[in-house]
Amino acid sequence: MNKYDSLIVKIADEYNIEKGKLEPINNWKMRVIYSLLGRMAIAALFDDIEGDMTSITHMKNRIVDVLESYRKIYPEINGFLPEKLGNLADEIYDIYLHTGVFYHIPNRIVPAKKTEDFINNIIFTRGYELNIQQNISGLGTYMRKDNTSYNASYKNIFHLDMTNLKDRWKIWTENVEWTELNVEGDIEYLRLKPPFTGGYWVNKPNGDGRNSLLRTGFKENKLYYLYKENLDANLLVCQLPTWIVKDYNYRSLANACLYYEGVLPPTTYRYDGDIVYVKFGYLPSPSNLYLWKLYSWPTSFYELPRDFNRICTRYVFEGIVELMKKQGYEFIEEK
């Protein structure tokens, strides 16, 4: 028992961060500190830096400085931390950047305007003043509304593509202008058969004439195509625009393709009191994934990013699941 445990309990109570029934105490402490680091990062946006806006470096340094202080108070968390504390600061910065918590201008960052979204009796908040009482799941803030008098509709502030996965694939594969494949270099083809733990791409086409995806080119400059095989086993392709595939956005179509073929792995989950352990069978599109990352904790902080395995507050989990199911994603509870 650490003599400063009353402090961690106070922080957890303020942000309503519950410990799982079977969760080890030090794992819970690490989750609480991670959420606190997020709040300190937001607080850094309001620092007066000689009349200038906060820099990215200043925000990251604030995260590391606070973490250094707390690891001295709670040495039992040292085994959970990455070798370079800056990796944790990078992860928090990356999540906030991709979820609109702040906006990026050259070498500076500014907080987002106050906005909110409502689903399943949960108000997802962004840009609220720090002195407004809010709950936290992972890095994301929210409020609960248990009564139906709160009249609000879903506004999609996190810019999810709410098109059903089946319809998404049909939209992109109907009325395609096919041309014969004429590219140089190595070609990778989307894997259409499990297991997907060996990677999402293989070096041979699926061989049965179904529409799918392929990519070619160098790591930082991949070109993506829809493809199919004609009766002569020649590959026909249609290049996809950059905006639909860049920055891992190809996973939006990859998920849609696998769903259409009936092989998209489900996401599994397990309740532990008021927290939920989430395991992705296949990573969703970046907008969906970053929403999960904003409102959940990684199961391990030592090696980041930790995208496949997350821990989420029960109420927030059920709200995000509702959004995902509307797109066609499947969730299966582990028994």
Side-chain angles (χ1 to χ4, degrees), residues 145-164:
K145 288 290 182 181
D146 293 325
N147 58 70
T148 57
S149 62
Y150 184 80
N151 185 18
S153 58
Y154 178 64
K155 295 181 291 188
N156 198 10
I157 66 172
F158 296 106
H159 304 292
L160 306 183
D161 185 349
M162 295 304 295
T163 309
N164 179 272

Side-chain angles (χ1 to χ4, degrees), residues 230-290:
N230 62 17
L231 296 177
D232 298 323
N234 295 321
L235 291 182
L236 302 178
V237 299
C238 177
Q239 186 173 345
L240 292 164
T242 302
W243 65 265
I244 193 65
V245 296
K246 69 176 182 178
D247 299 328
Y248 296 98
N249 276 295
Y250 77 84
R251 287 204 303 261
S252 176
L253 285 180
N255 276 263
C257 177
L258 297 184
Y259 178 86
Y260 189 85
E261 298 298 336
V263 293
L264 181 62
T267 298
T268 58
Y269 64 94
R270 174 174 55 86
Y271 285 107
D272 178 23
D274 286 329
I275 64 172
V276 187
Y277 292 86
V278 183
K279 184 176 182 179
F280 292 105
Y282 199 95
L283 289 181
S285 64
S287 59
N288 281 299
L289 178 61
Y290 272 104

